[in-house]
Amino acid sequence: MFVVCFGDGLGNQMFQYAFYKALKVAYPNNNIKMDIFHIYGGHIHNGFELNSVFGIPIDECDHRTALLLSDYCPYQEKRYWFMNKMYGIRRYLFGLKESFITQDDPTCYYDEVFHLSELKSYILKGNWVNEKYFANCREELIKDFTFPEIVYGANKHYKEEILKSNSISVHIRKGDYINSGMINLPVEYYKQAKKIIEEKVSTPKYFIFTDDKHAISEYLEVFKEYIIVEGNSGNQSYRDMQLMSLCKHNIIPNSTFSFWGAYLNSNPNKIVIAPNKSKLDFRHPFALKEWTTIPFNGKNDSKYFER
């Protein structure tokens, strides 16, 4: 049995699901299961959303199996304090369990995961933010990640405006990125992105998506004509991703949420602009090779697609 851990927000869960699908293709005779939050810990953001948003069925392993295969339990849950102490002693004496596979860097591609022994059981914890894992599953993933239809309300109005214009989604991530270790992109990044767009797109219309509209006034000064998309929060947050995917082009930050908005954009001539780093200690950006990556800080320090 192979078990894929699910946790964090919707964008990361979609990467985990893409990896789960890739494992099912790579190991067709093996039993591939899901671990829903047992190892990641209690629900954050909006909990497990793949089922409620996309109708993806849950093929879940039991809690006991997840704990046996893993080498630690959620640190933030006090009920696991004693077990984590015991796991720590065991790791000190014998090393990490062979059955527990994690990533040093979630943006890197580790080919080893496709060469595991099918006679053993493993649990794999990570976010797997690299398209190389699931490149062969693209068409199936696009079908799986089909949003519920927008039929009324403000989102119907946004959708109509997006479809009839040279629409550019602009995602400005603040909120939970402050003090999280993630890079908060400066205004300069959006200035550079806007310049690239306006060299290639006539009469662009910008649709601003943000989790904190009160903290982005200086960013809004960059864009002349824009609409701030509002009202999608809680269990309706996915509607922002859906609307991003309907835009003709996308300017995204270092966010797995807006990565998928751009990935699911079906415009064959789309321009996607992303920062060339996602986090200071991550090697790769949250971006595909064919997208345009620009320095988040004005310094083009490296190339990021080696692994």
Side-chain angles (χ1 to χ4, degrees):
M1 178 190 295
F2 291 3
V3 181
V4 176
C5 297
F6 286 78
D8 294 335
L10 178 60
N12 284 327
Q13 290 174 34
M14 292 169 74
F15 273 109
Q16 290 155 356
Y17 178 74
F19 178 65
Y20 164 83
K21 294 286 283 190
L23 288 182
K24 290 178 77 71
V25 171
Y27 300 99
N29 299 317
N30 209 311
N31 194 10
I32 314 294
K33 293 283 189 177
M34 299 176 170
D35 165 47
I36 310 300
F37 292 111
H38 292 151
I39 304 307
Y40 265 87
H43 294 188
I44 61 173
H45 299 292
N46 300 311
F48 185 76
E49 296 187 84
L50 298 180
N51 182 267
S52 60
V53 174
F54 301 116
I56 289 172
I58 302 173
D59 187 8
E60 189 174 7
C61 77
D62 61 88
H63 192 181
R64 182 174 178 274
T65 298
L67 295 180
L68 284 174
L69 293 175
S70 68
D71 214 350
Y72 62 75
C73 303
Y75 287 110
Q76 67 271 36
E77 295 189 20
K78 293 182 180 178
R79 62 189 172 125
Y80 292 123
W81 182 89
F82 180 76
M83 187 176 291
N84 276 324
K85 286 291 184 183
M86 295 298 100
Y87 277 0
I89 294 171
R90 199 204 62 75
R91 283 195 302 274
Y92 177 78
L93 294 174
F94 304 106
L96 193 71
K97 280 184 184 177
E98 184 184 356
S99 61
F100 188 48
I101 297 175
T102 61
Q103 298 170 285
D104 293 327
D105 181 340
T107 66
C108 283
Y109 175 72
Y110 297 95
D111 185 62
E112 301 93 309
V113 298
F114 295 116
H115 301 282
L116 299 173
S117 170
E118 296 194 55
L119 302 177
K120 298 179 180 179
S121 291
Y122 302 92
I123 190 165
L124 300 101
K125 179 182 183 290
N127 290 339
W128 317 102
V129 187
N130 192 309
E131 194 220 6
K132 288 182 181 179
Y133 289 115
F134 53 87
N136 294 336
C137 305
R138 177 176 172 79
E139 296 305 319
E140 190 173 352
L141 287 172
I142 288 173
K143 290 179 183 178
D144 289 345
F145 294 150
T146 299
F147 294 98
E149 187 61 42
I150 296 173
V151 293
Y152 61 86
N155 285 325
K156 186 172 186 294
H157 170 71
Y158 292 137
K159 176 182 176 181
E160 291 169 352
E161 291 295 313
I162 285 170
L163 293 179
K164 72 181 184 183
S165 63
N166 282 333
S167 49
I168 319 293
S169 75
V170 180
H171 189 194
I172 304 172
R173 187 77 178 258
K174 289 291 183 181
D176 64 341
Y177 268 31
I178 298 173
N179 300 322
S180 70
M182 297 298 291
I183 298 167
N184 260 284
L185 297 178
V187 173
E188 185 59 33
Y189 166 75
Y190 291 93
K191 288 181 179 178
Q192 293 180 52
K194 177 175 178 282
K195 181 180 179 182
I196 293 171
I197 288 291
E198 296 189 350
E199 288 173 350
K200 300 180 179 181
V201 180
S202 61
T203 62
K205 190 169 186 177
Y206 297 98
F207 291 80
I208 309 295
F209 298 83
T210 183
D211 55 349
D212 189 353
K213 69 176 183 178
H214 302 293
I216 63 168
S217 57
E218 61 178 326
Y219 293 80
L220 295 179
E221 292 175 5
V222 174
F223 304 96
K224 292 181 179 179
E225 183 179 0
Y226 62 82
I227 293 174
I228 298 180
V229 177
E230 299 184 83
N232 296 319
S233 60
N235 61 10
Q236 292 298 301
S237 297
Y238 73 89
R239 291 295 189 187
D240 277 359
M241 185 191 292
Q242 182 176 13
L243 292 170
M244 289 178 195
S245 74
L246 296 175
C247 290
K248 304 292 192 304
H249 312 284
N250 311 94
I251 297 173
I252 71 171
N254 48 330
S255 163
T256 58
F257 185 91
S258 50
F259 170 97
W260 286 105
Y263 186 90
L264 296 173
N265 179 350
S266 61
N267 176 15
N269 300 311
K270 67 185 176 184
I271 300 166
V272 180
I273 299 174
N276 68 352
K277 262 188 177 292
S278 48
K279 191 178 179 182
L280 291 177
D281 54 349
F282 289 174
R283 188 173 179 181
H284 300 288
F286 297 160
L288 303 187
K289 271 189 174 182
E290 60 265 30
W291 295 355
T292 300
T293 56
I294 61 176
F296 73 91
N297 59 358
K299 298 178 181 178
N300 197 358
D301 45 9
S302 180
K303 294 181 179 179
Y304 294 94
F305 287 105
E306 291 86 355
R307 178 162 183 160

